[in-house]
Amino acid sequence: MLPISLFVVAFGAAFGLAAVQKGLAPLDTILMSALVFAGAAQFAAIDMWGAEVSVIPVMVVVFAINSRHLLMGASLYPMLKDVAPAKRYGVLLVLTDANWAVAAQDYQRGNRNLEVILGGGLVLWLAWIVGTWLGVYFGGLLQNPKNLGLDMVLGCFLLAMALGGKKSPRILVAWASAALASLAAWKWLPANTHVVAGALAGGVVGFFWLEKKPGKETAGKTPT
Amino acid sequence: MTIETTTTGVLILILIMTLVTLVTRFGGVFIMSFVRINPRIESFINTMASSVLIAIIVPMAFEGDAGALAALSVTAVTMLVLQKPLPAIGAGVFAAAALRYLF
């Protein structure tokens, strides 16, 4: 989580700077990061900021960008279903891309790693708040984080997680469908729908093409 | 409907954004608790999980500059060869920085 946290601090600083430039008060900016904790959605909302803010468009954009959480949460259900509701939803409070990706990969290998969601999530949450705070009071930390390739940390991380998982013909077909569907949605559907479109396309492949299990194993039971 | 960005207005907007985001964080697990899990649903969930990652990354590669493309390709190759995430991510980020420095 450490390299990701550094990226999150830099990204948070960029957000803090952008928010105060849009006229948001420093404390409000930090409060937003602490409560909302969703970088891309916050950037998009700030983009729509002014003397007056239209509520419905902001809600739609925030929901669309964060709708990937719905699928991420659904994918965690098998490992959360036996957890008490308070703990289950408590862990989900800090659900975000990076800690989810690690937990999902661990679960594929048969480990139920709730600690990485909670611990990793808290670290990322703190990094996001600290980053925002730095950006609000000290401006962007780096003149141009792109020059250092920092904008690619999360993308590279998620790609490494995907490629570290199981690769069967079934998975590769699902990935190809996900890639095509997400590109098509990105090109032709309303903005911010591509992640959900691609993920569902990949899921449909899994729905119709079941993994062949060795005879001894009972279907549908994953090892814990 | 619009909200003026006064002190309370901003707080209300932040709370609205928080609630919408919370619905997305909780919603997936909540809905699944009403779905009977059978092998087909489980297979759907499992392939969907890694497809989320692909669906984030592929448009990112198409949208990005040469540096973004270099970062993702170098990460992919390093990861497939070494099977270790940290060197793969490091090499990818370095590739983006190097390419942008050179061109």
Side-chain angles (χ1 to χ4, degrees), chain A residues 74-137:
Chain A
S75 79
L76 292 178
Y77 182 71
M79 65 185 280
L80 285 170
K81 66 174 183 234
D82 301 324
V83 177
K87 196 174 163 193
R88 181 194 295 176
Y89 291 105
V91 164
L92 289 172
L93 279 176
V94 288
L95 176 71
T96 184
D97 298 341
N99 57 349
W100 167 78
V102 176
Q105 290 310 316
D106 276 0
Y107 191 66
Q108 266 198 9
R109 294 194 204 96
N111 306 319
R112 192 165 82 162
N113 198 345
L114 290 181
E115 292 78 14
V116 81
I117 310 180
L118 185 62
L122 285 175
V123 169
L124 295 169
W125 181 64
L126 286 175
W128 180 237
I129 295 174
V130 169
T132 307
W133 175 76
L134 288 171
V136 163
Y137 289 107

Side-chain angles (χ1 to χ4, degrees), chain A residues 22-160:
Chain A
K22 273 281 188 172
L24 211 67
L27 281 180
D28 287 337
T29 309
I30 295 168
L31 185 72
M32 186 191 282
S33 282
L35 290 179
V36 181
F37 182 42
Q42 284 176 237
F43 263 107
I46 282 302
D47 222 34
M48 306 162 78
W49 220 258
E52 285 189 330
V53 178
S54 328
V55 178
I56 303 295
V58 166
M59 289 177 74
V60 169
V61 164
V62 169
F63 184 83
I65 296 180
N66 288 332
S67 54
R68 66 184 191 286
H69 290 144
L70 289 168
L71 307 182
M72 285 158 42
S75 79
L76 292 178
Y77 182 71
M79 65 185 280
L80 285 170
K81 66 174 183 234
D82 301 324
V83 177
K87 196 174 163 193
R88 181 194 295 176
Y89 291 105
V91 164
L92 289 172
L93 279 176
V94 288
L95 176 71
T96 184
D97 298 341
N99 57 349
W100 167 78
V102 176
Q105 290 310 316
D106 276 0
Y107 191 66
Q108 266 198 9
R109 294 194 204 96
N111 306 319
R112 192 165 82 162
N113 198 345
L114 290 181
E115 292 78 14
V116 81
I117 310 180
L118 185 62
L122 285 175
V123 169
L124 295 169
W125 181 64
L126 286 175
W128 180 237
I129 295 174
V130 169
T132 307
W133 175 76
L134 288 171
V136 163
Y137 289 107
F138 303 103
L141 289 179
L142 304 161
Q143 286 299 317
N144 195 349
K146 259 188 109 168
N147 283 348
L148 297 173
L150 283 181
D151 56 319
M152 293 313 295
V153 174
L154 189 64
C156 291
F157 178 82
L158 297 177
L159 181 60

